[in-house]
Amino acid sequence: MRDSEHWQVVEQVVSANDGTLVGKTRLQKTIYLLQALGLGTSYDFEYHHYGPYAEGLAEDVEWAKFLGNLKTKEKPGHHQVPYTIFETTQPAPTVVGELSFSNAKSVLIRLEKYPAVVLELAATLHFLRASSTTVDAEKELKIRKPDKAASERLANAKSLLRELGL
Amino acid sequence: MGLSEFVFPGATHTRFAHSIGVFNNARRLVDLVERQTGKKDPQRALETCLTALLHDLGHGPFSHTFEKAQKKIHRQKKHEEWSADIISNPEGEISKILGPVLATSIASRLKKKDPSDIFDSIVASQFDADRLDYLRRDRHATGVEIGGVDFEWLLDALRVGEITVSHENDEIYTVPGLYLSEKGLRAAEGYLLARFHLYEQVYLHKATRCMESMLEQLLVSASKEVKAGSQSCLFLTKDSALTPFLAGQELSTAQYCALDDFTLWASITAWCSSTNTSIAEMARRLANRRLYKCVDIGRLQQRGSSEHALMRFKKAIREYQIANPDHILLEDTVALSPYTLHGYDEPGALQKVLIGKDEGGDKDPQDVASRSTIVGSLERVTIFRMYVEDEEKKCNLLAIWEREKNA
């Protein structure tokens, strides 16, 4: 069976984000970027449709719902396409994984300023840069996501990575 | 179809035959797009048909089973990336035939995740050339009677238009895409039900999935031996194609291409005599189709149990595994929905089947689930199974489930 030791960290991230985080993509990319910044989790991210994705993280959401106080609800979005909202009533933690609350919070505030698609681009670019088989990460990103990586979004994604020091 | 032939003896058709079928579908879809848009683009048309023909080149032996095993051994590229690498490899035969410009363009198309133009939708969308082939081909080869697709009617009802996509309600944009006109509604219902039934009855058949899990376990065990330097028990020759894979090395395109079903079966046969008794036992089980016993919790759960029963069971199984470290428990989880088999991907417009309105110029196609009560009532099914060595261990797990389901 897979280890689920990080489910508390998932809940801590949502809690530190004022108790709410909107969208599975945002959750995955937020934790991907926080992991790169020293969150202390060891999720094995792999490339999916919306960029780096960890199956273990999706499983830990289920564990956090079962063992912790995390709740999810689905809301109908555009054309009734549902999206997921993660919520917890857990009070703000003193630490978020191995990050101090203030460090994690400053990252989360930055991430909340950007739409999920920019987070997706930033995480994907970082993921491709770290891949031993990718020669030119930006070029590869434009090949994989030609429309999403339109100039302004890509510029925002690169600026976000710079702000985060990644 | 990977190991499906051990359940459906007729399912021995090849990836090559499927690729030819996809190529043929792509030609028909290109023709449809050209007729509807009134525009011809011979270069994109050629590129699209060739992308369809070559899309599956990067699959390893036994397809997805191998991909799952390689994830545990050493993260390698996914099959789409391998396909792209094989096609664009300047030393490879394909690039020499197509020329580097066309080969690189096709490779890029295979790696794209969102369509840029309508031709991309022919290669990857709800009605792509791939799906329209494998659903019909696999049904025919397996001999199952459910899962029929009214192919000609679907094709006749397909329309080209702009599809609105929303990403988690965050940003709304449009992409060129395929949808069905009003008259395709019933065919769309049939198409979605066909996919749902074929996945549940054929692709995710418990015996097939059990064999896949056993093969994955065998490869991971063999890899541990190679990584520990004790591969002598595997009888691998010095130049065996399997050695670098099992050693967890970054594979070159040539090394990856050398891996095929025959290489793997030859090794499994040899491993039946391995001095590592657990590897020998698993290899003999696979060679003789002596399957593990299946505990189908997902199915049991659907008969009524509390919301958290599955999580309680998983927790209890973890404790059972700690208490019984020598028991091999193979876990199999799949979330099955009529729209997408990716648990993660949001059901955005690209994963939806859309129906246009005859009145109003088909400008804003609607999700088929809002037009069809049959499709609207289809629910996501979670398959959760455990495979164990014998009847006694199966009874142990069933007893745990009985204890936990109403705890």
Side-chain angles (χ1 to χ4, degrees), chain A residues 11-149:
Chain A
E11 193 168 62
Q12 285 163 3
V13 169
V14 177
S15 176
N17 204 48
D18 298 329
T20 306
L21 203 147
V22 179
K24 289 181 187 172
T25 305
R26 182 174 291 278
L27 181 75
Q28 285 276 344
K29 297 336 162 208
T30 297
I31 291 185
Y32 173 86
L33 293 167
L34 284 169
Q35 181 166 296
L37 290 165
L39 184 64
T41 49
S42 50
Y43 290 120
D44 186 14
F45 284 90
E46 58 178 332
Y47 192 81
H48 268 232
H49 189 95
Y50 295 122
Y53 165 78
E55 203 176 311
L57 170 54
E59 279 177 38
D60 274 354
V61 166
E62 296 307 311
W63 284 111
K65 284 162 69 178
F66 175 55
L67 299 169
N69 289 302
L70 189 71
K71 296 200 175 356
T72 57
K73 60 182 180 191
E74 285 209 333
K75 280 206 147 192
H78 182 73
H79 272 200
Q80 303 302 306
V81 175
Y83 62 97
T84 305
I85 300 175
F86 302 90
E87 288 176 335
T88 180
T89 50
Q90 200 74 344
T94 50
V95 290
V96 179
E98 290 177 9
L99 295 170
S100 69
F101 175 78
S102 58
N103 275 352
K105 185 70 186 167
S106 67
V107 173
L108 290 168
I109 288 170
R110 279 184 203 280
L111 299 185
E112 278 294 325
K113 286 180 187 161
Y114 292 97
V117 68
V118 172
L119 264 57
E120 175 189 334
L121 289 172
T124 307
L125 188 58
H126 183 267
F127 180 86
L128 291 171
R129 281 177 185 163
S131 161
S132 58
T133 53
T134 308
V135 182
D136 184 336
E138 197 171 320
K139 189 176 165 195
E140 186 69 18
L141 180 70
K142 286 176 181 167
I143 289 171
R144 295 183 190 218
K145 299 174 182 291
D147 294 318
K148 278 186 182 168

Side-chain angles (χ1 to χ4, degrees), chain A residues 1-4 22-26 28-29 44-53 55 59 62-63 65-67 74 76-79 81-84 114-117 120 127 132-133 140 143-148 153, chain B residues 71 75 77-78 81 107-109 111-116 164-173 175 250 308 311-312 314-315 317-318 321 331 342-352 354 364-367 384 386:
Chain A
M1 304 287 288
R2 213 194 61 75
D3 200 355
S4 65
V22 179
K24 289 181 187 172
T25 305
R26 182 174 291 278
Q28 285 276 344
K29 297 336 162 208
D44 186 14
F45 284 90
E46 58 178 332
Y47 192 81
H48 268 232
H49 189 95
Y50 295 122
Y53 165 78
E55 203 176 311
E59 279 177 38
E62 296 307 311
W63 284 111
K65 284 162 69 178
F66 175 55
L67 299 169
E74 285 209 333
H78 182 73
H79 272 200
V81 175
Y83 62 97
T84 305
Y114 292 97
V117 68
E120 175 189 334
F127 180 86
S132 58
T133 53
E140 186 69 18
I143 289 171
R144 295 183 190 218
K145 299 174 182 291
D147 294 318
K148 278 186 182 168
R153 286 200 204 104
Chain B
K71 236 171 90 174
R75 170 61 45 74
K77 284 172 263 192
K78 290 184 150 189
E81 295 170 86
S108 299
R109 296 271 163 199
K111 286 203 265 188
K112 273 171 70 172
K113 292 296 175 188
D114 293 318
S116 297
T164 308
V165 178
S166 109
H167 190 188
E168 298 189 335
N169 223 29
D170 209 15
E171 194 167 332
I172 294 166
Y173 54 100
V175 293
E250 202 84 52
H308 282 141
M311 299 307 284
R312 279 199 302 273
K314 284 184 178 180
K315 192 164 176 276
I317 287 294
R318 187 174 301 171
Q321 180 78 88
E331 186 184 320
H342 303 288
Y344 165 62
D345 287 355
E346 292 290 332
L350 291 172
Q351 281 84 46
K352 292 278 183 187
L354 299 167
D364 202 8
Q366 301 291 309
D367 182 354
F384 181 79
M386 305 285 305

Side-chain angles (χ1 to χ4, degrees), chain B residues 320-365:
Chain B
Y320 175 87
Q321 180 78 88
I322 291 166
N324 301 280
D326 56 328
H327 289 196
I328 300 172
L329 306 179
L330 305 177
E331 186 184 320
D332 183 17
T333 310
V334 191
L336 176 63
S337 84
Y339 287 121
T340 174
L341 288 168
H342 303 288
Y344 165 62
D345 287 355
E346 292 290 332
L350 291 172
Q351 281 84 46
K352 292 278 183 187
V353 170
L354 299 167
I355 307 287
K357 284 179 185 161
D358 286 345
E359 301 290 327
D362 284 358
K363 283 215 168 106
D364 202 8

